[in-house]
Amino acid sequence: MIKGEFAVPSSGALADEVAAVLAGRHDPGVVPFERVLNAVVSHSFRDREALAAALGSVPREFKVKPHAQVRCIAGIVGAAVGPVRAEESWESAGAGWLELCQHVALDYVAGARTGEVAARLRAGDPVPFLLSVPSGPTGAVEPYELVERLAEYERLGIRPGPADLGQALLRCGGRVDPEVVRAAERLELAEGPRVASWLRQGGLPMPAWWREREAGEAERPSRRRGARIGRRILVGHEAIEGRGAFPRQFWSLFRTFEPHISCPHWSLPDYRDAHTVATLPWHPEIAAARLLTGVASAADQDGCGSPAFLEALASADGPAGPAVHLAVAYGLASVPERDREAAVRALGVLASRGRLDGELLGRELTELVGLGTLRVPLLTESLGAAVAIPEGAGAVWAVLATALPGLLARTRPQVHGALLAVAADSARLSGARGELPEVTALARRPGSSQLLRQARRLRDALAGA
């Protein structure tokens, strides 16, 4: 039923993989995490005693605090190999949940699913496989696979877990084959009509977005407070209909998101990773918008980086809008080098998949530089690196064709030579044609400075000389 890279390994291979995951402090990645999670569940269904024998000796104690996904796997393994508590009811999992922060709405969804899985294992009511196992590395679930899995649940007389089914539905999106919808309509499970309706509408509705700058005039950096008042651009979205059919832990996702809401969580790096995007792979905008403050902090403060998050946003299945492009903009000028490198790769992925809006990214870069949020030397370095990657030259020119006039007008002349050199390289390698009046005016000035030489290079490249 579950195939490919998410297929269930043998109990011995699973023990080795679990040991490797628990021995590390770092994020195991979406594919290893989802494979191990589903494999533990599947082996518990087949032979709980054999699973306990295989995993019982795997150490589950940590000397140093591990990544959130590593801790999660340790908890799931503990629930699978521990004694069955027949008096427990897994249906009550998450009953005491309290919403504290909208920034981590997707973490609430992921937590509801793993909490339900652990409760079901403790109660001795396992399932043959999880409905929400991804069909690919982005986290997306193919609709026909979900219907096949539900049909197997129906054959075995197993009740779907509300959080597991909810996560599976959130991972379905895009155009759905009408035959798949008809197959869902034929399910006799109580959840069948809901699944058919969800697939018919194409998954979670796309919310309306708005973009806004922080209130107040942009302030200079403060050594004492580290504040960047009025220097960020963020994204919010309107409420999404349909929350009532999902567990309460999912409801935060459906609420209106106000981008300037504050909380103590946004700076924590565990929330900005590929797992967050894989929770809602058809809506990377929602993940980007809710965690954009933390992404921005790596550019205008000494914030924690989020390289895996940036690459996952670019690789997601859903459309890339203002929040995704802003995340890439902040990443291109982030202080941590790993973030800049990830943003360069994200730029290339967006371009290769036809999801890059060069004009949009160019406008965002121009405004953020004008606000003093992004540092031009770091941005220039990233764009120069992007020229060398596949699809990179065309992507960089698509961005600079919009951004260059504003950047030349709003920044110090000392940085213009390097910026024009990157622009000239990208225009030449991509075969761009046209004219930028600001560049032509510079090229006509007398002199032999780096600035004027690069302006002439760019002018000639655009003229096909």
Side-chain angles (χ1 to χ4, degrees), residues 157-201:
I158 295 174
R159 289 181 54 200
D164 183 31
L165 176 59
Q167 172 66 101
L169 292 176
L170 291 180
R171 285 177 162 172
C172 289
R175 298 184 62 183
V176 180
D177 187 335
E179 182 55 38
V180 175
V181 176
R182 287 191 285 271
E185 292 172 340
R186 291 193 292 269
L187 291 171
E188 296 182 3
L189 286 170
E191 295 81 3
R194 175 192 172 198
V195 172
S197 175
W198 184 265
L199 298 180
R200 192 181 302 113
Q201 74 178 18

Side-chain angles (χ1 to χ4, degrees), residues 97-112 249-253 257 261 263-272 276 279 286-287 289-292:
W97 174 80
L98 176 66
E99 178 182 346
L100 298 175
C101 172
Q102 286 197 359
H103 289 111
V104 294
L106 293 178
D107 190 67
Y108 291 153
V109 171
Q249 297 99 310
F250 287 53
W251 287 11
S252 182
L253 171 67
F257 175 64
I261 190 172
C263 76
H265 298 111
W266 62 261
S267 64
L268 298 180
D270 275 4
Y271 295 113
R272 298 194 307 276
T276 307
T279 300
I286 291 179
R290 289 173 181 259
L291 297 172
L292 201 54

Side-chain angles (χ1 to χ4, degrees), residues 351-362:
S352 66
R353 300 182 64 187
R355 299 169 66 225
L356 174 66
D357 186 333
E359 291 186 13
L360 172 59
L361 183 53

Side-chain angles (χ1 to χ4, degrees), residues 204-352:
L204 186 72
M206 197 70 69
W209 304 96
W210 74 85
R211 168 189 174 282
E212 62 183 70
R213 205 192 86 188
E214 286 180 323
E217 293 301 317
E219 293 186 359
R220 294 183 63 80
S222 165
R223 184 179 297 274
R224 178 173 62 85
R225 292 183 293 118
R228 299 293 192 274
I229 304 300
R231 296 162 68 94
R232 289 176 179 165
I233 302 169
L234 301 175
V235 174
H237 68 76
E238 300 290 352
I240 307 172
E241 295 184 359
R243 75 177 190 181
F246 290 85
R248 287 187 62 86
Q249 297 99 310
F250 287 53
W251 287 11
S252 182
L253 171 67
F254 291 79
R255 301 188 196 281
T256 300
F257 175 64
E258 297 285 348
H260 296 304
I261 190 172
S262 62
C263 76
H265 298 111
W266 62 261
S267 64
L268 298 180
D270 275 4
Y271 295 113
R272 298 194 307 276
D273 56 25
H275 302 274
T276 307
V277 183
T279 300
L280 201 60
W282 287 95
H283 291 71
E285 281 291 292
I286 291 179
R290 289 173 181 259
L291 297 172
L292 201 54
T293 304
V295 176
S297 72
D300 64 10
Q301 292 177 314
D302 296 326
C304 298
S306 38
F309 183 64
L310 292 172
E311 291 192 72
L313 289 176
S315 302
D317 298 277
V324 170
H325 282 79
L326 274 167
V328 174
Y330 288 120
L332 288 170
S334 288
V335 175
E337 184 177 0
R338 291 180 63 235
D339 273 51
R340 296 199 304 276
E341 293 172 348
V344 167
R345 291 191 293 270
L347 182 66
V349 170
L350 288 174
S352 66

Side-chain angles (χ1 to χ4, degrees), residues 18-41:
V18 168
V21 169
L22 298 187
R25 291 174 50 195
H26 306 294
D27 178 3
V30 171
V31 173
F33 173 79
E34 294 285 348
R35 180 174 57 242
V36 167
L37 182 66
N38 180 66
V40 171
V41 169

